């Protein structure tokens, strides 16, 4: 762990190369972070720069297309999870039941490449395993996207092993819940503002993420991502060169009975008034559609019931996502 009082950086390569006792010690540090802010940067991930660069530059080229060209990949109806979502079509604050103006952003979203064999649940097939609506430009977009998605799936599984050790569980404890994850990748474009925003409007409303964890790649040097600290004050999350930002989602908070924090976060308009566009990638790691999330035994308090009833991963995700659509 690198020393940073405000935002810690975890070295994944050091953990994976460590002895059992070193792994336990590093896991304890992750446990302490997840009990407080639930946000950390992950370095030492080993992800090839070429995969990141290809996905980033093709997304940038897509967002630079004329609106009518981007609309060729438009989600076919409100609440459809994948494809292009245009400006002001989503309000993330609504996932918490907060009435808020639409967010100042647009996005492209993609899901799993295929459904697992034998899956018959029509809700799963029609939502998490629905086809991604691919754009016809730029060249190489789909291939770059799929390579990055696959790399994120692998990285998320590695981080989940860290989380298992941090919770004093066998390192592969979460593997059965992740045999066919219903994760989603989102490329986000926060355009430069040509006019003042509506009252109360920001780039992404305050929300928690819905799944097990999120892996965020923010634009180098960008500003605006903030988390709500334990003292109730908003804290800016700085991009870290060569590192991904990882945060805990709602289902991990359910699993850990709130021992770990699903931290409220938002993207505000920075001091320059939004004069610069901002891009980011967010990989939302989500357990299997039918995975039942029940409070873990090590996280229960003696003589107290769990804070949450059991919940199924996929239907929980679907209900949250649809609540944000404008």
């Amino acid at each position: 762990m690198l020393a940073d009082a405000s935002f810690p950086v975890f070295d994944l390569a050091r953990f994976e190369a460590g002895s059992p006792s070193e792994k336990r010690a590093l896991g304890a540090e992750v446990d302490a972070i997840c009990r407080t802010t639930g946000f950390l940067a992950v370095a030492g991930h080993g992800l090839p720069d070429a995969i990141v660069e290809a996905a980033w530059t093709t997304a940038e080229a897509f967002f630079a297309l004329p609106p009518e060209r981007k609309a060729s990949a438009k989600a076919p109806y409100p609440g459809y999870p994948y494809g292009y979502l245009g400006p002001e079509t989503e309000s993330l604050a609504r996932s918490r039941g907060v009435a808020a103006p639409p967010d100042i952003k647009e996005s492209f979203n993609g899901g799993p490449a295929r459904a697992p064999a034998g899956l018959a649940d029509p809700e799963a097939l029609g939502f998490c395993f629905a086809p991604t609506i691919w754009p016809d430009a730029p060249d190489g977009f789909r291939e770059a996207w799929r390579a990055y998605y696959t790399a994120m799936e692998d990285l998320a599984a590695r981080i989940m092993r860290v989380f298992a050790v941090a919770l004093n569980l066998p390192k592969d404890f979460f593997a059965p819940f992740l045999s066919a994850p219903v994760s989603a990748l989102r490329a986000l474009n926060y355009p430069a503002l040509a006019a003042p925003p509506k009252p109360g409007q920001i780039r992404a409303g305050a929300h928690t993420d819905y799944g097990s964890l999120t892996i965020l790649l923010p634009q180098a040097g960008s500003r605006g991502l903030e988390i709500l600290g334990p003292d109730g004050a908003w804290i800016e999350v700085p991009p870290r060169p060569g590192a991904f930002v990882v945060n805990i989602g709602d289902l991990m908070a359910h699993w850990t009975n709130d021992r770990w924090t699903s931290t409220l976060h938002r993207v505000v308009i920075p001091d320059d008034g939004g004069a610069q566009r901002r891009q980011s990638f967010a990989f939302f790691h989500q357990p299997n559609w039918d995975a039942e999330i029940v409070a873990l035994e090590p996280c229960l308090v003696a003589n107290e019931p769990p804070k949450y009833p059991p919940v199924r991963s996929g239907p929980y995700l679907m209900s949250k996502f649809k609540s944000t659509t404008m």
Side-chain angles (χ1 to χ4, degrees):
M1 198 76 63
L2 303 181
D4 187 318
S6 61
F7 197 68
V9 182
F10 181 78
D11 188 335
L12 182 57
R14 181 184 169 198
F15 173 88
E16 291 177 335
S19 66
S21 62
E22 288 171 331
K23 285 183 169 69
R24 286 193 296 272
L26 291 168
E29 293 186 28
V30 170
D31 179 43
I33 294 165
C34 292
R35 286 173 181 259
T36 52
T37 66
F39 263 76
L40 68 158
V42 173
H45 47 76
L47 202 69
D49 290 343
I51 289 178
V52 177
E53 182 65 19
W56 188 270
T57 56
T58 53
E60 189 172 29
F62 171 76
F63 287 128
L65 293 172
E68 63 274 12
R69 193 79 184 272
K70 288 183 283 191
S72 68
K74 184 178 178 181
Y77 53 80
Y80 192 87
Y82 306 132
Y84 174 65
L85 291 181
E88 300 195 0
T89 56
E90 186 178 57
S91 175
L92 288 175
R94 290 174 181 249
S95 66
R96 301 172 50 242
V98 176
D103 299 336
I104 310 173
K105 67 177 188 299
E106 59 183 340
S107 65
F108 183 85
N109 309 271
R114 64 189 62 83
L119 180 68
D121 188 322
E123 284 195 315
L125 294 172
F127 185 69
C128 288
F129 293 104
T132 297
I133 312 298
W134 296 105
D136 58 9
D139 291 342
F141 181 95
R142 182 171 181 170
E143 294 77 11
W145 185 275
R146 279 293 177 212
Y148 187 85
Y149 185 103
T150 299
M152 288 294 103
E153 279 195 313
D154 177 69
L155 179 58
R158 293 161 64 196
I159 295 170
M160 290 294 285
R161 288 194 282 272
V162 176
F163 284 175
V165 173
L167 292 166
N168 293 315
L169 297 167
K171 71 174 183 177
D172 292 322
F173 174 85
F174 292 112
F177 300 92
L178 308 175
S179 57
V182 289
S183 305
L185 175 60
R186 166 171 275 201
L188 292 143
N189 182 51
Y190 304 93
L193 300 185
K198 300 179 180 75
Q201 190 176 38
I202 58 177
R203 282 177 158 170
H207 64 286
T208 58
D209 293 338
Y210 315 140
S212 44
L213 62 89
T214 299
I215 305 174
L216 179 71
L217 178 62
Q219 185 169 327
S222 62
R223 299 189 60 189
L225 176 61
E226 297 180 339
I227 64 173
L228 191 66
D231 61 355
W234 288 101
I235 305 167
E236 187 167 26
V237 177
R240 297 286 182 185
F244 292 97
V245 175
V246 173
N247 66 272
I248 299 303
D250 293 349
L251 292 189
M252 188 57 72
H254 284 222
W255 248 328
T256 62
N257 203 38
D258 276 348
R259 169 170 162 171
W260 288 3
T261 303
S262 180
T263 306
L264 201 64
H265 55 287
R266 64 185 186 180
V267 180
V268 299
I269 299 167
D271 295 341
D272 66 2
Q276 302 294 320
R277 73 174 285 271
R278 182 185 192 275
Q279 180 170 298
S280 64
F281 274 6
F283 181 76
F284 300 102
H285 187 242
Q286 187 82 20
N288 300 353
W289 173 268
D290 274 326
E292 187 176 53
I293 311 302
V294 179
L296 299 167
E297 188 68 32
C299 301
L300 295 175
V301 179
N303 302 317
E304 291 186 13
K307 294 184 177 181
Y308 302 99
V311 64
R312 289 169 66 216
S313 169
Y316 179 85
L317 169 66
M318 184 170 66
S319 66
K320 285 287 191 177
F321 178 83
K322 291 188 174 181
S323 72
T324 69
T325 305
M326 302 296 289

